[in-house]
Amino acid sequence: MPLDTKERNDIILGAITMTGPVAEGQTQSEWDSKLKANAKSIALMLNDNSDVARSINMLAECKNFTGTILGVQKEASSTRAFVALKTVESKFSPDGIETVRTERTDSSEEARAFASRLRTELTGHRVLVWVEMQEIKNSAGQKVRILQHVQDLGLDPEFDPEEGKRITVEKMTKK
């Protein structure tokens, strides 16, 4: 389906912004080629089946809640990062501790970087999380909670690193 004029112009303007000015020593032809490549990249990202579009759509289906990241441990069996969060007591979390996992880190640089950021920068921080329910492949409908995104809300002044680590390890071994 052809793009309307506004959509096409938005892609062109985005590509121009992405490309930037003609660099020193760059010919107009080289700049034009880079502009066209960037315009194609943007147009492909707008496709409903692109990774970017699927990521955005997936976030709309996620459950949101806030909590403090208590700890992050690597799960040897799946290579996922296991994350414990202190939230509020609820019917599903009577002790106020929620657990989630990241995507597998053995096949995704993005997942490895996300897990590392959770462990090194966000442990002890209050965060708003986006959690997706994913069915485990080769299982009879078993689902896991996958942490897809976090928004940092700042350091939790009540966070105790030793207690956070203890709770995380305890929750991870209980499964």
Side-chain angles (χ1 to χ4, degrees):
M1 178 169 84
L3 299 174
D4 66 29
T5 302
K6 181 183 179 336
E7 291 171 320
R8 187 195 64 234
N9 289 347
D10 286 346
I11 291 170
I12 292 169
L13 292 171
I16 290 169
T17 301
M18 192 174 170
T19 305
V22 177
E24 190 174 324
Q26 184 180 38
T27 67
Q28 185 65 44
S29 177
E30 290 169 333
W31 187 87
D32 287 345
S33 293
K34 187 174 179 184
L35 175 66
K36 289 174 188 173
N38 287 338
K40 289 175 186 176
S41 292
I42 291 171
L44 290 173
M45 284 185 250
L46 295 172
N47 182 296
D48 287 341
N49 293 321
S50 76
D51 287 344
V52 175
R54 286 195 315 264
S55 291
I56 292 167
N57 292 338
M58 172 269 304
L59 287 176
E61 303 297 319
C62 286
K63 175 184 174 186
N64 294 95
F65 59 91
T66 59
T68 297
I69 297 178
L70 297 176
V72 181
Q73 296 284 324
K74 184 175 181 180
E75 216 174 33
S77 62
S78 69
T79 76
R80 297 176 189 272
F82 178 91
V83 182
L85 297 141
K86 180 179 181 186
T87 60
V88 295
E89 294 177 7
S90 70
K91 179 172 83 172
F92 300 107
S93 176
D95 62 356
I97 306 297
E98 300 260 359
T99 61
V100 294
R101 289 160 175 79
T102 64
E103 297 284 359
R104 293 182 63 100
T105 62
D106 59 346
S107 56
S108 168
E109 180 58 40
E110 182 180 354
R112 276 191 297 280
F114 183 52
S116 176
R117 179 172 177 249
L118 294 170
R119 183 175 30 261
T120 61
E121 298 175 27
L122 296 176
T123 297
H125 285 234
R126 294 224 4 104
V127 292
L128 176 59
V129 299
W130 282 259
V131 177
E132 177 189 31
M133 294 300 295
Q134 283 186 7
E135 190 169 326
I136 298 175
K137 293 179 183 171
N138 303 326
S139 75
Q142 184 181 5
K143 292 187 176 186
V144 292
R145 295 161 34 117
I146 303 299
L147 182 59
Q148 293 293 347
H149 185 70
V150 296
Q151 180 180 340
D152 187 2
L153 302 175
L155 192 61
D156 182 341
E158 297 178 16
F159 174 68
D160 177 348
E162 292 304 316
E163 180 185 32
K165 184 175 181 177
R166 178 188 59 75
I167 292 170
T168 303
V169 170
E170 182 181 292
K171 287 289 186 179
M172 188 172 166
T173 55
K174 279 188 178 179
K175 289 186 198 179

